[in-house]
Amino acid sequence: MTTAGTPAGFVDITLDGKPVRVPAGTSVFDAARMNGINIPTLCHLQSQTPVGVCRLCVVDTGARVLSASCVRPVEPGMKVVSNSEKVLAARKTLLELMMSDHPSPCARQQNSGDCELETLAKAAGALPPRFRKHTVARGKDDSSLAIAVDHDACILCDRCIRGCDEIKDNFVLGRMGKGYSAGIAFDLNSPMGDSTCISCGECMVSCPTGALTNKSVVGTAIASGPDAQGLEAEDLLQIPVFKGVSGTFLALNRGAIVKRRFSKGEIICREGQFGSTAFYIVEGRAKVSISTPIAHVKTQGGAKGFFKRLTSTLVAREEDRREEEARDRTIPIDAPVDLAYGNPVAELEPGDLFGEMTCMNFYPRSATVIADSEVVAFEMLRNVLDIMLKNKTFRAQLDQTYRRRALENHLRGVPMFADLSQEFIAHLKESVELQRFGPGQVIVQQGAVADSFYLVRIGFVKVSENYPGGELVLAYLSRGDYFGEIGLLGGGVRTATCTALDHVELVRISGEDFRDMVARFPSVRSGLEAAAAERRAANQQRLQMLHDVPIDQFLSQGLMEAQSLLILDLQNCTRCDACVNACADAHEGVTRLVRDGLRFDQYLVATSCRQCRDPLCMVGCPVGAIRRRNSLEVIIEDWCIGCGLCAQNCPYGNINLHPFEVLVDDPDRVGRKKAVIKQKATSCDLCTHLQEPSCVYACPHDAAHRVDPRTFFAAMLERAPSK
């Protein structure tokens, strides 16, 4: 009760039998804290608005029910008891109920031993809980590169939501569902990595359990060295490029970013090597280039006769021009610039980021980067780069650099856009939209309205069509490729679904700008119409094939993916290996055929290049050296750097790396050359220089055949008796 001696603006209460005086409007929780009395809580932080959802801070105020102290303001003469048997029993029961739903130990308890729920439960004697655990898991979300989400460890305290909204003003998190199905959600229930979350780390810092944890606890640190300078969060926040990045996140990821200095002539990274970091140049200039011979592998015969030994040689484009190579003017690399085909060297300057695809997707380095002066650069791991790419300041700087330095070359690298006027390109530099997509995100959906044209800036895009019975992959698109022209030039509807395979960045040209472009530049229209017509014809051919062959029977064994199969009739085959030996004899002792593989009816589909319709070998090529036309013929371009990723990706083991001895400049002796071994990827060439493939000709029992699966298996299924 307030007495005459109580100053204005204060309230006198009794707290656990002790009279105390606190400012009017103070919560019971804060009054206890101010007087050295600890009341446990899970949902309340001093920096956030109290909401009273966990009810663990209940106290006895003499009312009919216990009150949540964090939201209960003091009243004159109030008598508060915070540690009675009734109060302690209620808290213990609440802890047991929460522990019955909690995966113990959770990630936080395992990594740092400070899960607030488990600590309080142990102190209250609430372990093990009396209540049966739920067996239905709500699952984990591993889509974010910086934060691990475990929905089973979430206790719906809302601390992450209030941290996101009240402290950071990001408004990404919220509640979803009701009752037991209730949980936290990002945006409109998107995976965290696909949401607008910038991974500032506030939700993770606020979380009392292992529901939101930092992925760096597993150990993400760049190897140290004499040229590597570790930086503290306070140091990084003083650098303009890190403006707006969470200091908490940088502190938790200490060691994931270092400052390096390179002397002139020092190699920063080398083409073909696998890596996990990206570089951001702060000072100085660097030269980016590829040293691989610009030539493709050509296999040709030697001595006369049918069983002649074939030799593989490197041949320049001028000596063996292939129609598929005629359009290439630039070589795409993992940097803000492309390399000219005739002189594959370019310059990187302050503000340039390179190695982004290597860092985000662990692809091989696409080029060699050498310091052209004294260079200072930040080297960062994937978790830091992901945060930086979501940072508005850093993102705006990269986008501005791309518009200024690379967009024009990117457009002119596509031959049909070579005639665009400088005026129109200047307009596009200001009007295009730069978009980012995470792995698995759908960019455009088959059947949707076509309103944009896209140019692939970074990453790989899968183009597929849906048919009754399954999905057919039409192509994989990489940097310099484009899509969306069929819908805009045709009926205004998307004819295929395009999905991001990995970290993808696109240049989006609006439908209005696209229509203006094709109206003003007839050569652009004719080029796009020709490409669209070719794609439509190929799609129509596939559709006809689906009417003839049950797609589910082929998809089950991957046979639909092939357009050329080596099959062995097991009723005739005697396992003599004459086919394997003939292949080895024809290719310098290295066979491109393995007598093993999938079986369909009485036939063995041997391991040999299938000219796949879903060419996984193309995915991840750091320089876009594997591509194909609508004929589905896979082509290895002459700037292949021999990194071997395509050979690893081929699920059938049909791509090989062929070594060649070439002469290069000797860095130790200026003006001299030295011999080194360079590799180039090559696959089964179907013995195109012979009248018939060696493996087929060599079979003494007519068991080996090269067939088109669309016609061969269609005819076989027609002959099969109905059941």
Side-chain angles (χ1 to χ4, degrees):
M1 169 178 274
T2 303
T3 64
T6 305
F10 284 84
V11 174
D12 288 329
I13 65 171
T14 300
L15 188 57
D16 287 343
K18 175 184 175 182
V20 298
R21 178 174 292 166
V22 296
T26 302
S27 68
V28 172
F29 181 91
D30 286 338
R33 180 179 56 84
M34 292 161 59
N35 286 275
I37 297 176
N38 178 51
I39 297 178
T41 181
L42 285 171
C43 72
H44 182 45
L45 285 177
Q46 297 301 310
S47 58
Q48 300 177 0
T49 303
V51 292
V53 296
C54 76
R55 316 304 290 183
L56 197 62
C57 66
V58 291
V59 294
D60 189 348
T61 61
R64 181 175 60 86
V65 295
L66 300 179
S67 302
S69 62
C70 67
V71 293
R72 181 70 163 91
V74 297
E75 296 177 358
M78 176 183 283
K79 294 183 179 180
V80 178
V81 179
S82 68
N83 57 3
S84 67
E85 290 186 9
K86 178 181 179 181
V87 170
L88 295 178
R91 290 177 185 163
K92 180 179 179 181
T93 300
L94 286 168
L95 288 167
E96 287 183 292
L97 286 168
M98 284 188 278
M99 284 301 298
S100 69
D101 263 352
H102 187 72
S104 180
C106 65
R108 180 168 178 172
Q109 187 69 16
Q110 292 177 33
N111 295 323
S112 54
D114 63 344
C115 170
E116 295 179 34
L117 172 60
E118 296 188 45
T119 301
L120 290 173
K122 182 178 180 180
L127 295 178
R130 292 172 291 166
F131 308 103
R132 182 171 60 88
K133 287 185 175 290
H134 285 277
T135 57
V136 179
R138 284 172 284 181
K140 298 182 179 181
D141 178 0
D142 199 42
S143 59
S144 170
L145 298 179
I147 300 174
V149 182
D150 184 354
H151 290 286
D152 290 317
C154 176
I155 59 173
L156 292 177
C157 65
D158 289 353
R159 275 164 51 168
C160 60
I161 298 174
R162 284 172 285 148
C164 184
D165 295 353
E166 298 175 7
I167 298 177
K168 291 300 182 181
D169 295 322
N170 287 325
F171 302 97
V172 176
L173 279 158
R175 279 205 185 201
M176 177 195 70
K178 296 180 179 180
Y180 181 68
S181 63
I184 60 169
F186 304 90
D187 290 340
L188 299 177
N189 199 27
S190 299
M192 188 180 194
D194 298 340
S195 71
T196 56
C197 171
I198 62 171
S199 300
C200 68
E202 190 62 44
C203 61
M204 177 180 62
V205 175
S206 301
C207 181
T209 69
L212 296 165
T213 54
N214 179 36
K215 286 189 174 180
S216 70
V217 294
V218 298
T220 51
I222 297 176
S224 60
D227 62 338
Q229 176 188 351
L231 297 168
E232 297 296 325
E234 295 78 10
D235 301 324
L236 290 170
L237 292 174
Q238 301 303 314
I239 302 170
V241 75
F242 291 97
K243 182 181 179 181
V245 179
S246 166
T248 302
F249 173 83
L250 293 174
L252 288 171
N253 288 274
R254 185 183 294 108
I257 180 169
V258 298
K259 186 177 183 179
R260 293 194 184 275
R261 296 181 181 274
F262 300 93
S263 303
K264 183 177 181 179
E266 188 175 353
I267 294 177
I268 300 175
C269 63
R270 193 184 298 276
E271 70 185 62
Q273 291 181 341
F274 279 81
S276 59
T277 59
F279 294 87
Y280 177 79
I281 298 180
V282 181
E283 300 174 14
R285 295 180 180 275
K287 182 174 68 175
V288 56
S289 62
I290 60 172
S291 60
T292 185
I294 305 298
H296 59 259
V297 179
K298 182 177 182 180
T299 302
Q300 52 194 356
K304 295 182 178 180
F306 195 88
F307 282 113
K308 56 185 178 181
R309 184 176 299 277
L310 303 179
T311 57
S312 295
T313 56
L314 289 179
V315 181
R317 176 177 297 188
E318 293 75 15
E319 301 173 34
D320 181 38
R321 180 167 294 277
R322 300 181 295 180
E323 179 184 354
E324 296 79 12
E325 290 180 323
R327 72 175 185 87
D328 300 298
R329 300 181 179 182
T330 59
I331 299 173
I333 59 171
D334 187 10
V337 295
D338 289 334
L339 303 181
Y341 179 83
N343 182 31
V345 180
E347 188 177 78
L348 299 176
E349 60 186 34
D352 283 344
L353 175 75
F354 64 92
E356 185 176 345
M357 289 303 295
T358 293
C359 181
M360 297 295 286
N361 302 301
F362 306 113
Y363 292 152
R365 302 283 185 193
S366 62
T368 297
V369 180
I370 302 175
D372 209 25
S373 65
E374 296 293 321
V375 170
V376 177
F378 289 115
E379 183 179 9
M380 62 192 79
L381 288 171
R382 186 183 184 191
N383 50 341
V384 173
L385 178 60
D386 182 61
I387 303 308
M388 297 300 293
L389 291 175
K390 292 183 178 180
N391 178 265
K392 294 179 180 178
T393 303
F394 187 70
R395 183 77 255 169
Q397 180 179 331
L398 291 182
D399 288 350
Q400 184 60 33
T401 299
Y402 174 77
R403 291 175 191 269
R404 175 175 56 87
R405 296 188 61 210
L407 178 58
E408 180 173 352
N409 290 336
H410 198 169
L411 283 167
R412 295 196 185 280
V414 181
M416 66 185 66
F417 296 148
D419 294 333
L420 293 179
S421 67
Q422 199 67 39
E423 174 194 3
F424 190 76
I425 288 182
H427 166 71
L428 289 180
K429 286 182 179 180
E430 300 300 324
S431 66
V432 298
E433 180 183 354
L434 305 179
Q435 296 184 334
R436 300 176 70 243
F437 295 87
Q441 270 192 283
V442 174
I443 302 166
V444 298
Q445 187 75 46
Q446 182 176 342
V449 175
D451 60 354
S452 309
F453 177 78
Y454 294 91
L455 190 67
V456 182
R457 174 185 173 191
I458 290 175
F460 290 84
V461 175
K462 180 179 75 172
V463 183
S464 61
E465 289 181 342
N466 293 316
Y467 293 105
E471 175 193 69
L472 280 181
V473 177
L474 306 182
Y476 291 111
L477 307 179
S478 60
R479 182 180 175 115
D481 291 323
Y482 57 86
F483 60 93
E485 80 287 352
I486 294 181
L488 289 169
L489 292 172
V493 176
R494 301 291 185 196
T495 59
T497 297
C498 297
T499 309
L501 276 183
D502 45 31
H503 168 70
V504 168
E505 298 189 19
L506 302 173
V507 179
R508 176 185 175 272
I509 299 176
S510 68
E512 181 180 354
D513 281 339
F514 178 85
R515 286 185 285 271
D516 185 26
M517 179 174 65
V518 297
R520 292 174 57 182
F521 304 99
S523 62
V524 173
R525 170 179 282 278
S526 60
L528 288 172
E529 286 179 341
E534 188 177 1
R535 290 178 178 178
R536 286 195 196 98
N539 295 345
Q540 186 62 35
Q541 183 183 27
R542 295 185 189 97
L543 183 60
Q544 181 61 42
M545 173 187 63
L546 294 177
H547 292 322
D548 299 336
V549 182
I551 186 172
D552 55 340
Q553 296 189 43
F554 286 89
L555 291 176
S556 63
Q557 295 200 45
L559 300 180
M560 181 65 82
E561 304 303 327
Q563 66 172 0
S564 176
L565 290 177
L566 174 64
I567 63 168
L568 302 178
D569 186 340
L570 297 180
Q571 292 185 352
N572 295 335
C573 178
T574 63
R575 285 66 170 176
C576 65
D577 273 345
C579 55
V580 177
N581 295 330
C583 182
D585 289 340
H587 295 91
E588 303 176 87
V590 180
T591 183
R592 300 180 185 181
L593 164 65
V594 178
R595 189 173 49 77
D596 191 12
L598 296 171
R599 293 173 183 255
F600 190 88
D601 196 64
Q602 71 191 56
Y603 297 97
L604 171 73
V605 181
T607 299
S608 181
C609 184
R610 301 179 172 197
Q611 301 290 317
C612 294
R613 288 185 169 79
D614 185 0
L616 298 177
C617 55
M618 292 172 57
V619 179
C621 178
V623 291
I626 298 183
R627 60 178 66 182
R628 66 177 180 184
R629 296 173 60 81
N630 288 321
S631 63
L632 303 183
E633 180 184 357
V634 176
I635 300 142
I636 299 178
E637 300 282 10
D638 48 11
W639 60 79
C640 165
I641 61 174
C643 67
L645 187 61
C646 56
Q648 295 179 34
N649 286 346
C650 177
Y652 312 111
N654 295 331
I655 293 184
N656 305 292
L657 291 177
H658 200 298
F660 296 93
E661 184 179 286
V662 297
L663 294 177
V664 300
D665 292 331
D666 189 344
D668 299 325
R669 294 181 293 178
V670 179
R672 302 285 297 273
K673 298 279 188 180
K674 69 175 183 178
V676 297
I677 299 298
K678 293 285 186 177
Q679 297 185 126
K680 290 278 188 176
T682 183
S683 64
C684 174
D685 57 2
L686 307 182
C687 293
T688 51
H689 292 274
L690 303 178
Q691 298 176 13
E692 192 174 16
S694 298
C695 53
V696 174
Y697 182 83
C699 180
H701 307 291
D702 195 32
H705 303 275
R706 271 282 177 186
V707 301
D708 178 349
R710 294 173 298 176
T711 56
F712 179 82
F713 286 108
M716 189 185 74
L717 290 171
E718 288 177 359
R719 295 193 302 268
S722 59
K723 297 183 180 179

